[in-house]
Amino acid sequence: MTDDTAAGATGDWSGWRAATEAALYGPDGFYRRLEGPAGHFRTSVHASPLFAEAVARLLCRLDERLGRPARLDFVDMAAGRGELATGVLAALPADVAARTRAYAVEIADRPEALDDRIEWLTGPPKNITGLLFANEWLDNVPVEIAETDASGVPRRVLVRRDGRERLGEPVAGAEAEWLDRWWPLPAEEGLRAEIGLPRDEAWASAVAAVERGLAVAVDYAHTAASRPLFGTLTGFREGRETPPVPDGSCDLTAHVALDACALPGGRVLPQRDALRALGIAGARPPLTLASTRPAEYVRALARAGEAAELTAAGGLGDFGWLLQPVGLSAGMPDAPLDGSLAELLVDVPDHEEQ
Ligand SMILES: C[S@@+](CC[C@H](N)C(=O)[O-])C[C@H]1O[C@@H](n2cnc3c(N)ncnc32)[C@H](O)[C@@H]1O
């Protein structure tokens, strides 16, 4: 009898994936609560309206690339309370907003006061022409955790509702292959890895909903060159980091292996580079403005502070942006994307500059 079947017999123990699924998304799950994610932590979306402005600018550039389609889709994937979709609609120029269909995809219920123009869905719409944007989604897609035992064998970590852990059966099959390919564990006792396979699959299925356009996943990330030795699973509650306990009382999150999620043609950039390319800079306004136009100076100073937070080293600026183009190069030989995706962020003039 394996540890796992022993666990099943008592009913107390499960892998972290099932435990997280129940704790976050079960009937009384953390993300079903009325206060929403913003009641517990600040994402880039909550940190500043500049973030939604940057995403709106990206949507405008994409609109140009797509030849200004009659229907331009914006999908706020894992939308929380729809804050990003709301901010993007507010930031779009009127003629683009008029052609934009905005969707919020979320497990939790639609908030009462949400803008009527935003359609609330439990899964992405099909045949998206435009932008699917997933801010801090993949870190909340539940994963199994592996830990090496005393013989150096990676085993599934089992957990109880109170957060107590023990080791289960050796990791096998597709999960073992994923570990070998993306996060090989040296044979040293106690090393841990989060098995990102369900995130790769979740991302692939979201990208599959895009017919033409761009899918972007933004998250705490690491790549093969810098995997953390002991994993990154942690909890958040009411603004504070907490031990990860799968009882529905806190968020459960683990950084994302974005390089593993990337599909062919995908590219990962730091948020600071992506936002700078979209016109978000943390530079202070010139001091002379303070005496000539003081109100404007104060506004510009506040914006510079918010931009600095969104691009900060050691903070939100270190987040990864996975940019995944779909069908953008076809028929547009003058606009190659595959080699340098960052061009999408910089080479098309702003809509307002046309
Ligand atoms: C960390 S919050 C991010 C919210 C918002 N994107 C933001 O940046 O403020 C993660 C959200 O993803 C939602 N979520 C997780 N998995 C989902 C799925 N498969 N489909 C839709 N929403 C999902 C959760 O309910 C939660 O509201």
Side-chain angles (χ1 to χ4, degrees), residues 25 31 37 41 43 45-46 78 80 105-107 135-137 140:
Y25 309 118
Y31 277 121
F41 47 84
T43 66
V45 179
H46 314 132
V105 179
E106 190 29 78
I107 286 174
N135 192 62
E136 293 203 32
W137 169 37
N140 284 133

Side-chain angles (χ1 to χ4, degrees), residues 21 24-25 30-32 36-38 41-46 51 76-84 104-108 121-124 133-142 202 218-220 251 253:
E21 189 68 46
L24 296 186
Y25 309 118
F30 178 79
Y31 277 121
R32 305 264 181 202
F41 47 84
R42 248 156 81 93
T43 66
S44 294
V45 179
H46 314 132
F51 191 77
D76 182 358
M77 180 68 209
R81 294 298 172 267
E83 296 97 329
L84 181 61
V105 179
E106 190 29 78
I107 286 174
L121 302 173
T122 52
F133 201 97
N135 192 62
E136 293 203 32
W137 169 37
L138 294 175
D139 68 288
N140 284 133
V141 172
V218 178
D219 239 305
Y220 304 87
D251 183 26
T253 164

Side-chain angles (χ1 to χ4, degrees), residues 207-219:
V207 172
V210 181
E211 190 171 297
R212 271 187 79 215
L214 186 69
V216 182
V218 178
D219 239 305

